[in-house]
Amino acid sequence: MAKLRMKKIELIALLTDSKKIIELIQRRGVVELCKTDEGLPATNVTAVISEFEKFRTTASQALDILDRYSPEKAGISAMLGSRTEVEKHAFGREAMHMEKIMNSAGEIIRNNQLIADAEAQTAQLELKCDTLKQWLGLDIPLNFRGTASTTAFIGTVPYLITADELTQALPTGTSTEIISASKEQTNLFILASKTVEQDIENVLRGLSFIPLTEAESKTPAQLIEDNLNEIKRLAERSEAAEKRIEELATERRELKFTIDYLQMRVDKYDALNSLNFTENTFILTGYIPEKYTELLRKELEAKFTVFIEYTDPAEDEDVPVLLENSRFSAPVESITKMYAMPDKKDVDPTPVMSFFYYLFFGMMLSDAGYGLVMLIGTTIALKRFKLEDTMKKTLTMFRNCGISTIIWGALFGSWFGDIIQVVARDYFGKNITSVALWFQPLDDPIKLLLYSFALGILHLFLGLGVSFKMAWDDGRKADAIFDTVPIYLTITGVAPLAASILVSVPAILKTIGTYLLIAGAILLVLTSGRSSKSIFGKIFGGLYALYNTATGYLSDILSYSRLLALGLATGSIASVINLIGTMPQNMVVKTVLLTVVFLVGHTANLAINLLGAYVHTDRLQFVELFSKFYTGGGREFSPLTVNTKYIKFKEENINE
């Protein structure tokens, strides 16, 4: 069992110490608070939380703007998700300057809004300029409506019309000028005596004339010039605002501190909602891993006047789950969490699957050169950078997978495909047939297929063994025996008989396999229907179990053929890459091409097959192994902790 034992904590302390105690518990990160109905009043801090969240949103917006206008040069450590370590007192000093930092954040947002407004106004002005260009032939103001004795019409007809057509349609003595025209519209200027104004309006209405509504008493050329001047002014204002944002980029570090500080305040005050209060005290309840109980008790009792009681959770309580495994198994905890956390009756499958996880991953990738790249890259990252726990476990997992890949690659003789043989042949004139410590899969794929099936059977038997132990420990000893032993016998018996189809198997093994198969099948038929009360139910239940075992386990075992398929794919593609690189006859050209193809081709092959090995190794755990004993459905331990994005305290958790 790799699940930490949980205890229920109940803490009673003075009301005046509530915030300090919550802050200490938050920094230690080992208590998950829960709300209890004790009939005591609680506190409502919704308004305070909303205020902190508003400030945090403002600071986050300002940081996003800085990242857009003045991107930060991120190092490898930042890319790997590492946070900046700070002392608690240094963080407190930064928090004292929050008002100044929020003023800077507000200024950044205001300048960004100026830029956005300038862009919107510029777009509108440019559109106006494009429209006014159609009227550049008009040398009078666009709002001109005539003189004391004349009436002017300036507008558009939504189609192409000629001057002759207009002259014929309008009353005699009317002056008409086409300013510009296209297939879609014709822009007109019409001047006529006031005596025929009504007649012209009637004609224009019939022509679908749309009058121009322009309030400015300027010519189109003057309006375009004014708009261009305004666009220039907006560009200068936008440039000044952008420059100011870049100057405020010096506040980036302080903004990050502020965002994390405000997040901690939100979490802290949200935690206060889980407390119950009396006139002078408060009550805190939650869950804590048993291994941290005494450490937390000593620290709290040394600093505050508190009463702390630890009890075992009730059977019906929704107790959270926290995993803790050895250095070998812990890196693959993320795989378990990806599937589901174990519930209170489950075992942690992480230590069960870890060995086979590394084994199968390396067998699927199966190139020692690729494994060496993985090992070197992950080792450098683990040694050189201060990584978060999650990233550290992930890189450790791939480091272990890299070691497994080196071993399998050496056994199969694959070092960046057949690059050793290629270089020896093309550059030194030596013919090396194989560097495999065991055998080359391409020369004997059936052998690798059988070993894949054998490893798959061991993997499935491991899952059955865990199921046996769980039932036995639960007091269901008959179930433990009858649900697993017949399957062990049946599959063990079938294995040599099935293998004899592909290779020669000694007669003694086939004879033993036959007897084991018969014994397992009989036991399955006789015991699988034991829960039924009728004799027919027992018989048919047993026959169904025999059929289900035969088809289900056949499908499961065949799934392990992917060990062969992915292993062959990696080596085959790598060899093809090397072949392409050595095609030219000229040694200089060959060397250059081989270098380029080697670097590009093997990088791509590693990336593709690394993903394939990861996905299919996960699948073998989830579908084949977990289905034999694992239910899942538990809830992950979620303590009140320093949930920061950019900084971390050097003494953040009680176990660090």
Side-chain angles (χ1 to χ4, degrees), residues 127-155:
L127 181 60
K128 285 184 178 180
C129 288
D130 290 339
T131 303
L132 288 168
K133 286 177 182 178
Q134 304 172 24
W135 296 94
L136 278 174
L138 188 66
D139 57 358
I140 60 173
L142 288 175
N143 67 345
F144 179 71
R145 294 295 178 263
T147 63
S149 59
T150 61
T151 298
F153 297 89
I154 302 174

Side-chain angles (χ1 to χ4, degrees), residues 262-282:
L262 292 168
Q263 182 61 54
M264 288 174 60
R265 297 303 92 185
V266 168
D267 293 341
K268 170 188 166 183
Y269 278 90
D270 190 43
L272 292 174
N273 278 329
S274 302
L275 308 182
N276 293 112
F277 296 90
T278 66
E279 185 176 350
N280 298 310
T281 63
F282 75 96

